[in-house]
């Protein structure tokens, strides 16, 4: 486990040498391959070394983060071509990957918090440094302050736990019961803001719209899943309070997910639509974790992985359009099937996965979540039905608006997708639709 | 009158006076140290290029001597009237108040942002770091816990809210210094070692920032956007301000983390909430200062030529330490 950390640290000097842009990306793919071949044991923590570990959740999320980081570099070729500080960009990506890797793999809860906060700084630098509009400053401030407002009470909670239990090892937390209401709120609020839950979700559309493609990919791909991962770790020692109070978060997130799905229909900005659809999916994930049954955890974990791949792919597609037309607006991006029919295939594949059509991994996640939420309460059937229906609705709306119809008359010429872009989208779609053939890697925990 | 040996003489007496104050056996020795401290700082302020230097030295003299007289009076009353060691009385409150006024802590802070406008960056550095040592240590000898907790809350709130409307960099650092005084007063209530740790790291961060501003000759926020800073200066500025705000993974997080640990051990739950929320406000106005270092291409003026006076290798090294020390230290101790 430490060997991957050292591999990433020593990739940092490589970022600053000349003409090493694609080499860094290849090294990240290589590291992904090495990491995939680690032993995968269920029911326990494996690969433990000095302060690192892996278990099923960490393994999958680290794989996802390495994958998305390497695809981020592949998607940002325009930075290399235009020579826009790509050295520092590579350094940012590798630094972010190191922080995410450490977040998912340290054994100590306080170090988890430390790297969780530390991963915000390169994200902020990515959004404000390489974004396109002047509103990105405000977006960066919203991102930083929403997350910090939630996570400072988390720090207080973690240190309180340390003073009480004299241990911070995540593995040992399941033997304790800390059933205090204030501790519960302070521990989970940070993750709810990060997920994001409905009432504290305002930072996400702003940050996604203003971010460059790499920033959007990493935000949608992994940063939201940090919240889910934290919730999965922290629920264990708060079980009694969970049983009493979780219904609040389930209700807020499900009803909020319904409102957000309806709001997706009103969006004019492509990226804003995809961002709101992220919030709607994550609302189901929060519901699944909070019901605290096994299918709920499985469904939310599967939906986290599949949403990471799917949303990241959709942001790549939105960026492919943006690089050609320099606009994210739906009015300008219509009738694309006339110009880029092959790209229309990829829009369809990724949007159909977004609406949880078979054979995508989203389908399995949503089915598991529907099962677990309905088993918790029959009334949630109505909300889940509406959320799933609307997610199909806005995915089809986006697809049809962009691809079909008459094109915008003010377009200049541009070329159909390059091989790099097709490869990028293929690498997003392939795990998403092929992993459903061997789901026991991600759905059997014990 | 820059860089001459007169100032070096007074600087030497300044250092010596602090040492007298903190290592004396009797309260009179402490008072003597404080008085010599005051007297030797005044000649350091004089600078013919700054229009406010006369006003500054007068204000500094008046406030500090008022505090010293108060301190002397309370010492004498304590000697003559109080023969016990109980710290929960009005005399300890008065002594603490006079020491707080010497430091520039709220609610006696009004002179502090006023006079930083009249001081050069190096004098500011002395005022914000060295001048706080002897009042702090004297505070730890005879403090009134309830009174000091109230003062901490006032420090935190005034330090965070006062800096929101400022554009002068010196005043911003003054308000941030008032806020950090809140953290430092709490740490000195726990242990002197803890205060020393916080103080050393705080002084290191302030020194990096002030030397950066001194080399670039910058005094106001709008100057940050006009000149053409090269990339490494901007990165340094970014790292230093985020570190001062207490964000992980920088070194400024560590003292705040340890103080939060002690706050929770001693069950100060309301106080820690105020610590956290004011620290968020402080981070807000730090980030306002470093907007220019987040954005790579902004509107630059071609006729402004930034000449650095010295080389910056020391500052670069210290910024590197600021990033990596936090991460490396977690690997060692955990």
């Amino acid at each position: 486990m430490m060997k991957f950390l050292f591999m990433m640290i020593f990739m940092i000097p490589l970022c600053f040498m000349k003409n090493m842009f694609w080499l860094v990306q290849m090294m990240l793919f290589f590291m992904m391959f090495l990491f995939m071949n680690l032993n995968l044991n269920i029911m326990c923590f494996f690969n433990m070394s000095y302060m690192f570990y892996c278990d099923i959740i960490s393994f999958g999320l680290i794989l996802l983060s390495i994958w998305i980081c390497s695809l981020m570099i592949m998607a940002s070729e325009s930075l290399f071509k235009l020579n826009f500080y790509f050295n520092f960009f590579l350094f940012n990506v590798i630094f972010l990957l190191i922080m995410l890797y450490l977040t998912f793999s340290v054994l100590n809860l306080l170090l988890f918090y430390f790297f969780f906060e530390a991963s915000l700084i390169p994200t902020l630098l990515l959004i404000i440094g390489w974004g396109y509009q002047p509103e990105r400053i405000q977006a960066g401030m919203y991102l930083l302050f929403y997350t910090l407002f939630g996570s400072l009470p988390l720090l207080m909670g973690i240190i309180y736990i340390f003073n009480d239990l004299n241990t911070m090892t995540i593995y040992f937390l399941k033997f304790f019961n800390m059933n205090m209401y204030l501790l519960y709120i302070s521990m989970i609020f940070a993750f709810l803001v990060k997920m994001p839950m409905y009432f504290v979700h305002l930072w996400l559309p702003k940050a996604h719209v203003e971010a460059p493609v790499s920033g959007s990919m990493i935000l949608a791909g992994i940063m939201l899943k940090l919240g889910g991962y934290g919730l999965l770790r922290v629920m264990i020692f708060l079980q009694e309070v969970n049983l009493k109070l979780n219904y609040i978060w389930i209700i807020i997130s499900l009803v909020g997910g319904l409102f957000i799905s309806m709001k997706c229909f009103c969006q004019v900005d492509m990226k804003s639509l995809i961002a709101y659809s992220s919030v709607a999916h994550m609302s189901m994930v929060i519901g699944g974790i909070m019901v605290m049954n096994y299918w709920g955890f499985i469904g939310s974990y599967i939906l986290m992985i599949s949403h990471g791949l799917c949303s990241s792919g959709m942001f790549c597609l939105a960026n492919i359009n943006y690089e050609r037309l320099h606009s994210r607006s739906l009015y300008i991006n219509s009738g694309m099937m006339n110009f880029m029919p092959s790209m229309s295939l990829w829009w369809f594949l990724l949007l159909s996965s977004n609406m949880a059509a078979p054979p995508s991994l989203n389908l399995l996640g949503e089915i598991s979540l529907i099962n677990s939420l309905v088993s918790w309460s029959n009334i949630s059937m109505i909300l889940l039905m509406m959320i799933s229906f609307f997610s199909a609705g806005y995915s089809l709306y986006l697809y049809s608006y962009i691809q079909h119809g008459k094109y915008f008359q003010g377009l200049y010429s541009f070329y159909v997708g390059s091989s790099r872009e097709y490869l990028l989208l293929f690498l997003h779609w392939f795990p998403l639709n092929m992993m459903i053939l061997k789901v026991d890697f991600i759905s059997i925990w014990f | 009158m820059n860089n001459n040996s007169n100032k070096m003489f007074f600087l030497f007496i300044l250092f010596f006076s602090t040492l007298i104050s903190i290592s004396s056996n009797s309260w009179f020795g402490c008072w003597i140290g404080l008085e010599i401290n005051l007297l030797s700082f005044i000649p350091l302020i004089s600078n013919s290029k700054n229009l406010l230097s006369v006003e500054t030295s007068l204000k500094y003299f008046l406030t500090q001597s008022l505090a010293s007289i108060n301190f002397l009076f309370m010492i004498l009353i304590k000697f003559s009237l109080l023969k016990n060691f109980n710290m929960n009385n009005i005399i300890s409150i008065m002594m603490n108040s006079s020491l707080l006024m010497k430091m520039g802590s709220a609610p006696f802070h009004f002179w502090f942002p006023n006079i930083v406008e009249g001081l050069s960056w190096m004098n500011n550095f002395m005022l914000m770091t060295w001048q706080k040592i002897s009042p702090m240590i004297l505070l730890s000898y005879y403090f009134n816990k309830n009174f000091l907790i109230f003062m901490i809350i006032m420090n935190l709130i005034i330090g965070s809210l006062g800096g929101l409307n400022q554009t002068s960099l010196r005043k911003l650092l003054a308000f941030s210094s008032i806020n950090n005084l809140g953290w430092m007063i709490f740490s000195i209530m726990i242990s002197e070692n803890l205060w020393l740790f916080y103080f050393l790291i705080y002084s290191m961060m302030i020194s990096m920032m002030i030397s950066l501003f001194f080399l670039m000759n910058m005094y106001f926020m709008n100057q940050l956007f006009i000149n053409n800073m090269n990339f490494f200066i901007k990165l340094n500025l970014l790292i230093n301000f985020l570190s001062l705000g207490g964000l992980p993974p920088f070194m400024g997080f560590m003292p705040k983390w340890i103080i939060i640990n002690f706050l929770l051990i001693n069950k100060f739950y309301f106080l820690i909430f105020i610590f956290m929320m004011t620290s968020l406000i402080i981070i807000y106005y730090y980030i306002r200062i470093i907007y220019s270092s987040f954005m790579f291409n902004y509107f630059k003026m071609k006729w402004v030529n930034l000449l650095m006076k010295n080389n910056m290798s020391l500052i670069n090294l210290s910024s590197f330490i600021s990033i990596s020390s936090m991460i490396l230290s977690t690997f060692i101790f955990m």
Side-chain angles (χ1 to χ4, degrees):
Chain A
M1 288 298 290
M2 209 185 284
K3 60 187 178 196
F4 299 108
L5 182 65
F6 273 92
M7 181 166 178
M8 288 188 281
I9 291 179
F10 284 109
M11 275 203 273
I12 292 181
L14 205 56
C15 305
F16 293 107
M17 296 198 228
K18 270 176 88 90
N19 289 330
M20 289 293 177
F21 191 77
W22 296 119
L23 184 65
V24 174
Q25 189 228 335
M26 285 298 156
M27 298 288 280
L28 284 177
F29 274 133
F30 182 51
M31 188 165 78
M32 168 85 180
F33 179 70
L34 287 176
F35 193 82
M36 263 198 295
N37 292 328
L38 283 179
N39 287 325
L40 183 68
N41 293 324
I42 57 178
M43 276 175 66
C44 61
F45 284 21
F46 58 95
N47 272 320
M48 287 183 61
S49 74
Y50 178 49
M51 47 184 254
F52 303 111
Y53 76 107
C54 251
D55 77 349
I56 299 246
I57 322 176
S58 320
F59 183 73
L61 287 171
I62 298 178
L63 273 182
L64 186 63
S65 46
I66 303 177
W67 193 242
I68 301 264
C69 282
S70 49
L71 292 177
M72 267 162 84
I73 302 181
M74 199 195 281
S76 308
E77 192 213 9
S78 65
L79 290 178
F80 181 53
K81 280 283 153 68
L82 298 174
N83 201 2
F84 188 51
Y85 299 99
F86 61 90
N87 288 324
F88 189 56
F89 172 75
L90 285 175
F91 173 69
N92 248 338
V93 173
I94 304 258
F95 187 63
L96 180 58
L97 180 60
I98 294 177
M99 293 296 132
L100 288 171
Y101 175 83
L102 287 169
T103 311
F104 290 125
S105 68
V106 285
L107 261 175
N108 196 327
L109 200 58
L110 186 57
L111 280 182
F112 163 75
Y113 169 80
F114 180 75
F115 294 119
F116 173 82
E117 287 293 306
S119 62
L120 266 184
I121 304 276
T123 312
L124 193 66
L125 284 174
L126 275 177
I127 292 180
I128 304 192
W130 284 274
Y132 302 113
Q133 278 90 19
E135 288 87 8
R136 65 194 196 262
I137 303 180
Q138 196 197 25
M141 299 291 261
Y142 264 65
L143 165 74
L144 188 70
F145 284 98
Y146 264 84
T147 312
L148 278 180
F149 179 64
S151 67
L152 285 173
L154 175 66
L155 178 65
M156 294 184 337
I158 290 178
I159 298 186
Y160 179 82
I161 292 174
F162 175 65
N163 287 330
D164 207 11
L165 304 178
N166 279 326
T167 176
M168 304 276 340
T169 309
I170 293 184
Y171 186 71
F172 295 146
L173 292 175
K174 65 183 180 189
F175 300 116
F176 296 102
N177 272 328
M178 314 276 294
N179 293 314
M180 287 158 258
Y181 288 108
L182 211 53
L183 182 68
Y184 170 72
I185 296 277
S186 60
M187 293 300 278
I188 68 172
F189 189 60
F191 303 122
L192 289 176
V193 169
K194 195 84 177 170
M195 280 297 278
M197 194 180 70
Y198 176 57
F199 284 133
V200 287
H201 71 287
L202 273 181
W203 61 273
L204 187 73
K206 278 193 198 289
H208 270 306
V209 163
E210 305 300 334
V213 63
S214 44
S216 284
M217 282 168 75
I218 199 72
L219 262 178
I222 284 290
M223 307 289 283
L224 306 186
K225 287 43 176 188
L226 280 174
Y229 176 77
L231 274 177
L232 284 172
R233 291 288 178 220
V234 149
M235 293 256 142
I236 289 182
F237 57 90
L238 292 167
Q239 279 171 15
E240 288 176 21
V241 189
N242 277 344
L243 288 173
K244 286 188 193 153
L245 287 184
N246 270 349
Y247 68 95
I248 303 177
W249 315 118
I250 301 177
I251 292 173
I252 293 180
S253 41
L254 284 181
V255 176
L258 179 62
F259 290 158
I260 294 269
S261 311
M262 287 197 280
K263 199 173 171 178
C264 277
F265 281 109
C266 311
Q267 296 301 322
V268 170
D269 194 334
M270 273 196 293
K271 272 189 146 177
S272 184
L273 207 154
I274 304 173
Y276 277 112
S277 104
S278 281
V279 181
H281 284 290
M282 284 295 125
S283 73
M284 277 196 288
V285 170
I286 296 178
I289 298 179
M290 294 286 175
V291 290
M292 292 204 325
N293 48 23
Y294 179 54
W295 269 36
F297 283 168
I298 296 295
S300 52
Y301 179 59
I302 296 180
L303 195 59
M304 284 202 284
I305 292 192
S306 57
H307 171 263
L309 289 165
C310 187
S311 267
S312 165
M314 287 195 292
F315 278 115
C316 290
L317 279 167
N319 184 56
I320 288 173
N321 270 354
Y322 181 80
E323 277 178 356
R324 287 158 175 71
L325 305 169
H326 289 293
S327 163
R328 295 186 306 263
S329 156
L330 278 181
Y331 297 130
I332 299 184
N333 276 305
S334 66
M336 284 291 118
M337 203 188 270
N338 296 313
F339 296 114
M340 298 197 281
S342 308
M343 209 50 83
S344 159
L345 169 72
W346 293 109
W347 273 107
F348 179 73
L349 285 175
L350 283 169
L351 278 171
S352 71
S353 300
N354 193 27
M355 70 168 91
S360 71
L361 213 53
N362 292 61
L363 174 73
L364 182 63
E366 282 202 22
I367 290 180
S368 309
L369 282 176
I370 288 175
N371 263 327
S372 74
L373 279 164
V374 172
S375 82
W376 177 75
S377 153
N378 281 340
I379 308 178
S380 58
M381 253 195 300
I382 306 175
L383 289 170
L384 283 168
M385 180 190 82
M386 302 294 282
I387 293 179
S388 295
F389 173 65
F390 282 134
S391 86
Y394 58 70
S395 305
L396 267 179
Y397 169 69
L398 181 64
Y399 176 71
S400 172
Y401 217 103
I402 292 185
Q403 304 302 125
H404 301 147
K406 200 156 168 57
Y407 51 86
F408 175 63
Q409 303 277 8
L411 293 178
Y412 200 57
S413 70
F414 46 84
Y415 55 91
V416 194
S418 56
S419 313
R420 168 190 65 91
E421 290 163 350
Y422 289 139
L423 179 65
L424 180 66
L425 293 165
F426 175 78
L427 290 174
H428 276 113
W429 167 81
F430 187 74
L432 188 57
N433 277 12
M434 293 298 146
M435 277 215 281
I436 200 154
L437 297 173
K438 180 88 173 147
V439 212
D440 49 350
F441 276 129
I442 37 183
S443 72
I444 296 184
W445 292 357
F446 39 83
Chain B
M1 263 190 64
N2 297 327
N3 297 332
N4 53 4
S5 59
N6 286 336
K7 296 215 168 169
M8 213 175 314
F9 173 66
F10 287 113
L11 207 60
F12 173 70
I13 299 204
L14 186 80
F15 288 146
F16 203 59
S17 69
T18 305
L19 296 177
I20 293 176
S21 182
I22 63 183
S23 59
S24 73
N25 285 326
S26 134
W27 283 108
F28 276 118
C30 305
W31 175 72
I32 288 175
L34 289 177
E35 286 285 319
I36 301 178
N37 200 5
L38 154 69
L39 284 176
S40 60
F41 192 68
I42 305 268
L44 294 176
I45 300 179
S46 72
N47 180 5
S48 57
K49 292 192 189 140
N50 197 340
L51 292 174
L52 293 170
S53 63
V54 175
E55 180 184 334
T56 299
S57 38
L58 195 62
K59 281 182 187 167
Y60 186 77
F61 177 73
L62 282 175
T63 54
Q64 299 272 317
S65 61
L66 186 66
S68 291
I69 287 287
N70 211 358
F71 188 62
L72 177 66
F73 190 49
M74 289 306 138
I75 294 174
L76 294 174
I77 288 187
K78 179 175 177 302
F79 277 151
S80 56
L81 294 183
L82 252 65
K83 304 292 183 189
N84 59 354
F85 291 112
N86 184 18
M87 296 210 271
N88 275 329
N89 49 20
I90 187 84
I91 302 297
S92 70
I93 292 182
M94 292 301 291
M95 281 171 71
N96 288 350
S97 299
S98 55
L99 288 171
L100 289 176
M101 189 157 157
K102 279 206 125 15
M103 284 196 286
S105 129
F108 314 112
H109 66 284
F110 294 97
W111 58 277
F112 189 40
N114 242 322
I115 75 165
V116 290
E117 280 295 317
L119 298 172
S120 68
W121 275 119
M122 284 304 152
N123 284 334
N124 265 326
F125 176 59
M126 294 304 300
L127 184 64
M128 287 181 200
T129 54
W130 188 265
Q131 300 285 83
K132 309 248 189 289
I133 293 184
S134 59
M136 274 286 182
I137 296 188
L138 295 183
L139 200 64
S140 74
Y141 292 156
Y142 195 65
F143 64 84
N144 186 340
K145 183 186 80 141
N146 295 324
F147 176 68
L148 276 189
I149 290 185
F150 185 54
M151 290 299 123
I152 290 171
I153 297 178
M154 288 191 74
N155 265 324
L156 294 172
I157 295 180
I158 288 182
S160 63
L161 295 179
L164 281 176
N165 204 17
Q166 306 294 341
T167 52
S168 161
L169 287 173
R170 290 176 286 193
K171 280 209 169 97
L172 274 171
L173 282 183
F175 279 108
S176 123
S177 167
I178 294 177
N179 190 45
N180 276 307
L181 262 182
W183 291 84
M184 280 201 266
I185 295 177
F186 182 75
S187 66
I188 211 158
M189 277 165 47
I190 301 289
S191 137
E192 197 168 303
N193 260 333
L194 182 64
W195 169 76
L196 191 63
F197 177 65
Y198 189 94
F199 180 73
L200 282 176
I201 294 188
Y202 170 70
S203 312
M204 202 171 116
M205 294 190 291
I206 287 275
S207 74
M208 285 197 273
M209 216 141 18
I210 289 186
S211 48
L212 205 59
F213 287 140
F214 173 67
L215 289 175
M216 293 195 285
N217 205 18
M218 270 205 254
Y219 293 96
F220 292 95
M221 254 169 79
N222 50 12
Q223 283 174 312
L224 286 162
F225 294 103
I226 294 181
N227 55 9
N228 303 316
M229 293 192 269
N230 75 12
F231 184 59
F232 289 107
I233 305 179
K234 283 201 279 196
L235 203 59
N236 266 325
L237 208 58
L238 177 81
I239 292 171
N240 284 325
F241 267 104
L242 290 179
S243 171
L244 192 63
L247 287 184
F250 303 114
M251 196 168 57
F253 176 60
M254 199 192 287
K256 299 212 158 130
W257 163 20
I258 296 184
I259 291 188
I260 292 174
N261 193 10
F262 281 104
L263 273 165
L264 281 170
I265 288 178
N266 293 315
K267 300 186 178 27
F268 285 113
Y269 297 129
F270 182 64
L271 192 59
I272 196 178
F273 188 68
I274 299 187
F275 270 102
M276 309 264 94
M277 293 303 135
T278 51
S279 141
L280 275 185
I281 302 181
I282 291 241
I283 293 176
Y284 172 66
Y285 65 69
Y286 286 161
I287 292 193
R288 253 192 346 199
I289 300 177
I290 55 180
Y291 276 162
S292 64
S293 46
F294 279 129
M295 297 187 276
F296 299 128
N297 291 333
Y298 55 93
F299 194 65
K300 291 190 268 218
M301 310 286 183
K302 276 194 159 175
W303 62 84
V304 176
N305 208 356
L306 181 68
L307 288 172
M308 300 292 291
K309 290 184 200 169
N310 303 323
N311 67 345
M312 279 203 13
S313 53
L314 199 60
I315 300 184
N316 283 334
L317 177 68
S318 38
S319 293
F320 177 69
I321 293 178
S322 178
I323 301 182
S324 56
S325 68
M326 193 69 219
I327 301 182
L328 289 175
S329 66
T330 57
F331 289 168
I332 297 173
F333 292 114
M334 307 230 171

